[in-house]
Amino acid sequence: MDTGPRQPLPAPPPPADGAWSADPYSLALGSGRGPLFLRRTDGWLLPLDVERWCAEADAADLEVLRRCEGAVLDVGCGPGRLVAALSGQGRRVLGIDVSEAAVARTLRLGAPALRRSVFDPLPGEGRWGTALLIDGNIGIGGDPAALLARTGRLLAPGGLLIAETVPDLDLDERVRVHVTDARGATGTAFPWARLGTPALLRYAERAGWHTVAWWTAGGRSFAALRSGSPASAPSSR
């Protein structure tokens, strides 16, 4: 299996009007279906699961939401299925996304969302109970260490981060990609990262996070990390 280049690349914070606001992504969210891909500069394509993103939360999602604590910040909320599910449970939640189309779709579901980058000033900084980086959003900005540091500043002391990782791979890939569709329409190139669980846990340990758990569900992989205070022993299930 091709795991791609591993060399670090510069990763400036993405602007609020950046590549995820490009037409292929907006059009896919508008229709609720793909095909849509992230394309590396060498031509390799990563399919994006638009149909699942635009559906209701599935069993794997609901397991993530069951583990959330306190007020929840969904970073890169996309079309809003997790924000809507939490809001429907009466939980305090906010979705943020750089895509105008994603935020608009989330708001149409009756769920709260703002068009912001995670690197922008955000409401409730330092007070969120849980932050979510689901659907590959550990890749935001192409610099996992910087993203973990920023997320830690958003959480309250001892807050929880739940991140989705690449299943079954010890992958640490940082590349430049762009969004493309089956017609070949493309957005602007931007830095991105993909991590397997072992790589995420290495970054987390170096940054002072404590591993709470890691698990798989529905063919997807997740890890829960705690900031600022020791956690219980790591587990997997």
Side-chain angles (χ1 to χ4, degrees):
M1 182 177 292
D2 178 15
T3 59
R6 295 173 179 263
Q7 69 274 20
L9 292 169
D17 59 348
W20 287 104
S21 297
D23 282 345
Y25 182 65
S26 299
L27 291 172
L29 292 194
S31 66
R33 60 181 183 272
L36 196 69
F37 309 90
L38 288 183
R39 184 184 183 95
R40 274 191 331 216
T41 54
D42 63 3
W44 180 89
L45 295 174
L46 173 67
L48 300 176
D49 200 351
V50 177
E51 288 84 357
R52 179 173 61 78
W53 296 351
C54 291
E56 294 184 356
D58 63 16
D61 296 326
L62 293 175
E63 173 62 17
V64 168
L65 303 188
R66 184 187 67 79
R67 295 171 183 260
C68 290
E69 302 171 356
V72 181
L73 181 68
D74 186 0
V75 177
C77 67
R81 75 185 190 284
L82 302 183
V83 186
L86 284 166
S87 182
Q89 295 172 6
R91 305 286 296 273
R92 290 182 296 156
V93 61
L94 176 67
I96 60 167
D97 205 289
V98 298
S99 164
E100 182 177 3
V103 170
R105 185 164 180 138
T106 302
L107 293 172
R108 286 197 297 272
L109 295 175
L114 293 174
R115 190 182 180 200
R116 301 277 177 87
S117 163
V118 66
F119 298 102
D120 290 336
L122 293 172
E125 294 203 16
R127 299 195 300 274
W128 293 98
T130 303
L132 300 178
L133 289 168
I134 307 300
D135 299 329
N137 285 328
I138 190 64
I140 289 172
D143 185 341
L147 183 58
L148 285 172
R150 173 57 176 153
T151 306
R153 293 192 296 272
L154 295 172
L155 290 169
L160 192 68
L161 168 63
I162 302 178
E164 185 169 354
T165 59
V166 178
D168 303 322
L169 288 177
D170 187 2
L171 177 69
D172 184 356
E173 176 183 77
R174 283 171 279 175
V175 291
R176 294 192 72 83
V177 295
H178 55 257
V179 181
T180 186
D181 63 17
R183 298 177 292 109
T186 62
T188 305
F190 58 98
W192 196 249
R194 295 200 305 143
L195 298 182
T197 299
L200 173 60
L201 299 186
R202 288 194 295 270
Y203 280 108
E205 183 179 9
R206 289 195 293 267
W209 294 80
H210 305 277
T211 304
V212 176
W214 62 88
W215 69 96
T216 61
R220 298 160 62 194
S221 296
F222 306 89
L225 309 170
R226 195 172 297 282
S227 67
S229 64
S232 57
S235 64
S236 62
R237 56 190 187 93

